[in-house]
Amino acid sequence: MSAPRRILVYGVYGAGKTTLAQQLAERLGLPWYPVDDQLWLPGWVEVPVEQQRSRIEAICRRDTWILDGAYHGWRDVPLARADLVVGLDYPRWLSFWRSLRRTLRRLVTREVICNGNRESLGSVLSRDSILLWHVGAFGRARRRMRAWQSDPIAPPVLLFQSPAALDAWLTGLPSAPARPRLDRPAENAG
């Protein structure tokens, strides 16, 4: 397989999709488009699904991209164009632990997530809590990744069941050529 140019990173909440997408972008020199930036307006106002789809279609028409998720209403769009799907198929306890740890860190640090949004104690304790979403979505995400992997017309799917297996794969990836620094003038050779 040639080097992928359009990559969908997929997994349940908290598995590490965003971290992996960022690592792949740096390693392969591909542009990364954080999905949360496409889905949420300030104040945690959800972008209407039709507009989400339009935004994702615009990204997926490009020659190169990395997306860190795919959701209802437009999941078919990146799947139709991806060269590779990287699935984080970690055990439930691991992805839940990561989600809980990340949520607690964000509450303490007041970290901006996307478009000025932050997690709050109220959001964590609400019926729309990311932790509850994890519990409800885990089995569906796992079944979906595994179905994609066995589908002969789907893009290639690499499923990783542990962070160690993912790290080993990442280590074997080629690095993008170094880009010249633009913040200082090039030195003359003569």
Side-chain angles (χ1 to χ4, degrees):
M1 174 173 77
S2 61
R5 299 172 46 81
R6 294 179 300 273
I7 302 171
L8 171 60
V9 177
Y10 195 78
V12 74
Y13 308 105
K17 298 181 302 291
T18 299
T19 300
L20 175 57
Q22 185 175 13
Q23 290 172 331
L24 288 171
E26 291 169 2
R27 182 79 181 235
L28 300 174
L30 298 173
W32 162 46
Y33 300 93
V35 168
D36 283 346
D37 289 347
Q38 311 305 315
L39 305 185
W40 298 104
L41 298 172
W44 289 113
V45 174
E46 187 174 6
V47 172
V49 174
E50 305 80 35
Q51 191 176 357
Q52 290 178 27
R53 185 176 182 88
S54 177
R55 290 176 174 189
I56 297 299
E57 286 173 338
I59 291 168
C60 291
R61 280 193 293 271
R62 298 170 189 242
D63 290 333
T64 58
W65 47 262
I66 298 172
L67 289 174
D68 57 352
Y71 297 100
H72 69 282
W74 52 265
R75 191 177 292 119
D76 60 308
V77 175
L79 278 175
R81 293 267 300 149
D83 295 328
L84 178 66
V85 175
V86 179
L88 302 179
D89 191 16
Y90 297 158
R92 181 187 297 263
W93 69 266
L94 178 58
S95 56
F96 185 81
W97 167 247
R98 285 179 162 195
S99 187
L100 177 62
R101 185 179 63 195
R102 178 188 69 193
T103 298
L104 293 173
R105 183 193 75 235
R106 287 175 172 175
L107 286 173
V108 170
T109 65
R110 304 285 300 140
E111 175 184 337
V112 174
I113 301 165
C114 62
N115 296 321
N117 292 311
R118 292 179 166 88
E119 289 190 41
S120 68
L121 189 56
S123 69
V124 172
L125 298 176
S126 77
R127 291 183 333 179
D128 292 328
S129 168
I130 193 79
L131 301 174
L132 291 177
W133 286 356
H134 178 280
V135 171
F138 181 85
R140 289 189 306 272
R142 174 171 269 181
R143 287 188 298 276
R144 192 173 290 124
M145 287 184 287
R146 292 175 179 186
W148 292 341
Q149 187 181 43
S150 64
D151 184 346
I153 62 170
V157 177
L158 298 177
L159 288 184
F160 294 97
Q161 296 180 336
S162 73
L166 176 64
D167 289 344
W169 176 72
L170 284 171
T171 300
L173 286 178
S175 293
R179 296 179 185 174
R181 291 187 59 173
L182 300 177
D183 59 342
R184 60 183 170 175
E187 295 179 16
N188 291 334

